[in-house]
Amino acid sequence: MRLPDYYTILGVSETATSDEIKAAFRKYALKYHPDKNEGAPEAIEIFTAIHKAYEVLSDTEKRRAYDLKRSGGKKPFLSEMPIHSVVDRSKIKISVDKRVIVLNEPLQVTITIFENNSKVTMNGLQRFDVVKGPVINSAFPPGPDTPEVEISYLLKPKFSGYLEIGPASFISGNIKFLSESVYVKVNLPPELVKIRPASRLEKFQSVIVSTLIIFYSFLIGYNIYEFKVWPYMRAEKKLQHQAPAPVLGFGEREIQLATGVSPYENFFGGGEYDMASLNRILFHNSKVYDAVVLLTDAKTNQTVRNNYIRAGDDFIMKNIPDGDYYLKVLFGNNWNDSLRLLHQGALQGGFSRNVRYEIFNRQINIIQMRHNRSGDTLGYKIYEITLYPVQDGNAQSITSDAGKFFN
C-alpha cells in the first residue's frame, strides 16, 4: 500500500518546521474551504486532503512515524478502506421534491443520512447547475425518523430526458454505504408543443406502420411456435475464447452485477486506496458488453482494483495511489457467480457468453498517476477511458486466456 505524499499536498519540504507547516495549511485551507467554494465538489476533496496532511505533519509523533514508513523503516501503512459496498436505504437515501420538471425549473434534492459518517459523496451533479448548496442540517440523536444529517441542493437541469441523480455514499468502518439513485424526467415546457390535426399522409403512414407491426408480430410468433426459432434483435460478432453460450428461454433475463462492485475481492483482496489521493479514472463502457476492469501495477503486475461495469454505464475509480498502471479488461455477457475460470485456486465467477480477455500493457497504454504542486495549485491525474474490445478500436492490447489473465 503506497503512502500519500503529505509534503507535496501541503507544498512544503521534508525539513519544514512546524511554523512553515502551519502557515501552508492556513494558506491552502483558506483557499479551498467549502464555504468559499460552494457547489465545487473537487474543492471539498482538496480541502479534505490538505486537512489530513496537516493532521499528520503537525503532530510530532505522527510525523515521526510517517517519515519512518516513507523511508522503509516499517511496513507500509494500510489506510482504512471500504471492504465492500452495500446499498442500504436505512443508512442513506436521496429524495426529490418532484419527479417531472421542465428545463431550467429548480429541483430540491435532499440526501438523508441516519448514521455518523466521515464524508458524503454525491454522483450526478454534473448534469445540473447547482443554484444553492450543499446546505447541511444535523440533528442528534439520530433515529428511524430523525436523520443525523440532511444535505440539500437546489438544482437546475442542463439537459432534457431522464436524468439520474446519485447514488450518494459514505464510508463507515470498512463498509461503503450507497443510496439508490433517483430519476427525474425533464421535458420542454408544454406551451411550446403545438398540437395540430394529422394530415392525410400521416394517417396513411400510421396505417402502414400498424399493418407491418401486426404482420411481423404474427410472423415471429409463428416461427417461435412452429420452428422454435428465437429472434435476435442484433447479430454480434463471435469473439475468440468464447465460453459455451447457454440458450436463454423466453422471458429469462440476462444476469448482471451492479456497476462498481468488486467481483474478485476474495481473490485479489480489498484493493489499494489512498484516501488523500485525488487521482481518478472515468470509465465509459460500450453498450454491447459488460466488463470487469482490473487496474494492475505496472512494476509488480499485482491487481490493485477490480470493478464491474455494466454495458452503457459510466464508473469513476477514485482514490488511486500514485504509480504506473495498466488495465486488464474482461468483456462478456450474462454473469455466472458459480463459474470457475481456473482449474485450481479460489477464483470464481465469470461471463457465460461473448467472453474476451484483453491486457493493455503496451507502453502506449501505461496510466501514470502523479500528484504534484506548482505554486498554489495541487495537481493530480484524471483519465477518461472508453471500454470496447480492441478489435473495434485502435488501442494496443494482448488477447489472452483466463490463465494468463489472472496470473
Side-chain angles (χ1 to χ4, degrees):
M1 179 66 184
R2 299 175 181 82
L3 285 174
D5 191 346
Y6 292 141
Y7 293 102
T8 299
I9 291 173
L10 281 182
V12 296
S13 67
E14 297 180 0
T15 58
T17 64
S18 298
D19 290 339
E20 290 173 337
I21 292 172
K22 184 181 295 184
F25 169 72
R26 288 178 177 175
K27 176 182 178 180
Y28 296 120
L30 183 63
K31 178 178 179 180
Y32 294 105
H33 196 279
D35 292 343
K36 293 194 173 184
N37 296 272
E38 187 173 344
E42 290 189 359
I44 297 176
E45 293 182 12
I46 294 175
F47 178 81
T48 303
I50 292 170
H51 191 276
K52 180 63 178 178
Y54 176 72
E55 179 184 353
V56 173
L57 298 185
S58 63
D59 186 287
T60 303
E61 294 299 323
K62 290 182 179 179
R63 183 178 180 182
R64 182 181 295 112
Y66 171 75
D67 289 339
L68 283 173
K69 291 165 189 173
R70 291 183 79 230
S71 63
K74 292 185 179 181
K75 292 183 179 179
F77 175 68
L78 298 177
S79 299
E80 185 177 355
M81 67 188 72
I83 294 178
H84 61 278
S85 300
V86 177
V87 177
D88 191 341
R89 287 178 54 85
S90 67
K91 301 288 187 181
I92 182 170
K93 64 180 181 180
I94 301 175
S95 57
V96 295
D97 62 345
K98 61 195 85 173
R99 291 294 185 120
V100 180
I101 60 176
V102 298
L103 201 60
N104 292 322
E105 179 183 356
L107 170 72
Q108 184 77 30
V109 178
T110 303
I111 309 172
T112 308
I113 304 99
F114 292 91
E115 181 176 305
N116 186 27
N117 60 87
S118 58
K119 178 182 177 183
V120 177
T121 59
M122 174 72 161
N123 294 330
L125 292 180
Q126 69 274 13
R127 305 178 183 94
F128 300 84
D129 289 321
V130 179
V131 179
K132 184 179 180 181
V135 177
I136 303 175
N137 297 313
S138 60
F140 190 87
D145 300 320
T146 307
E148 178 165 332
V149 178
E150 284 188 343
I151 304 173
S152 61
Y153 293 85
L154 189 63
L155 309 175
K156 283 187 178 181
K158 297 179 180 178
F159 316 102
S160 297
Y162 282 94
L163 301 186
E164 180 184 10
I165 305 175
S169 64
F170 71 87
I171 297 173
S172 179
N174 289 330
I175 301 177
K176 183 177 183 179
F177 291 100
L178 295 163
S179 73
E180 294 179 342
S181 298
V182 296
Y183 294 83
V184 293
K185 183 178 181 181
V186 183
N187 288 330
L188 294 174
E191 59 270 16
L192 297 182
V193 181
K194 183 178 180 180
I195 301 176
R196 60 174 177 80
S199 66
R200 290 184 179 181
L201 176 60
E202 290 171 335
K203 291 179 180 179
F204 175 74
Q205 290 173 336
S206 177
V207 172
I208 295 298
V209 170
S210 300
T211 303
L212 290 174
I213 291 174
I214 295 173
F215 172 75
Y216 282 110
S217 298
F218 172 78
L219 185 61
I220 291 171
Y222 177 77
N223 278 271
I224 293 174
Y225 175 78
E226 185 70 20
F227 304 107
K228 309 300 181 187
V229 176
W230 300 92
Y232 286 89
M233 300 305 293
R234 178 181 61 243
E236 297 179 347
K237 295 181 180 179
K238 185 175 181 181
L239 302 179
Q240 296 178 0
H241 311 293
Q242 183 170 327
V247 177
L248 299 178
F250 183 75
E252 290 187 29
R253 296 179 58 188
E254 192 167 87
I255 298 174
Q256 295 176 297
L257 300 181
T259 293
V261 303
S262 300
Y264 297 125
E265 184 174 331
N266 291 336
F267 187 77
F268 292 115
E272 294 191 17
Y273 293 76
D274 178 356
M275 304 311 292
S277 171
L278 302 174
N279 297 327
R280 66 193 68 184
I281 303 175
L282 171 59
F283 291 99
H284 305 288
N285 196 12
S286 72
K287 297 182 180 180
V288 180
Y289 308 105
D290 289 1
V292 179
V293 177
L294 276 61
L295 184 67
T296 307
D297 192 307
K299 294 182 178 179
T300 65
N301 292 319
Q302 297 296 311
T303 297
V304 299
R305 298 283 185 88
N306 70 97
N307 293 105
Y308 189 102
I309 307 177
R310 288 188 175 188
D313 277 5
D314 295 339
F315 173 71
I316 302 177
M317 186 181 289
K318 295 184 177 181
N319 305 122
I320 302 174
D322 284 357
D324 294 338
Y325 303 92
Y326 64 89
L327 294 180
K328 297 180 180 180
V329 186
L330 169 58
F331 295 98
N333 300 105
N334 200 40
W335 182 263
N336 184 349
D337 278 327
S338 61
L339 188 66
R340 291 190 177 274
L341 301 181
L342 302 178
H343 296 296
Q344 298 178 349
L347 183 68
Q348 188 168 333
F351 294 112
S352 299
R353 296 191 301 111
N354 305 323
V355 181
R356 188 175 180 90
Y357 302 91
E358 298 281 356
I359 301 177
F360 297 88
N361 62 351
R362 306 290 177 85
Q363 187 61 38
I364 192 175
N365 302 130
I366 296 298
I367 300 171
Q368 297 180 336
M369 290 296 184
R370 298 286 188 276
H371 283 83
N372 59 79
R373 179 172 291 283
S374 176
D376 294 348
T377 303
L378 176 63
Y380 51 94
K381 289 296 185 69
I382 299 177
Y383 282 79
E384 186 170 6
I385 298 175
T386 300
L387 300 174
Y388 41 73
V390 72
Q391 65 180 24
D392 298 328
N394 58 1
Q396 297 184 14
S397 75
I398 298 174
T399 303
S400 180
D401 54 28
K404 295 179 181 178
F405 188 83
F406 290 104
N407 292 322

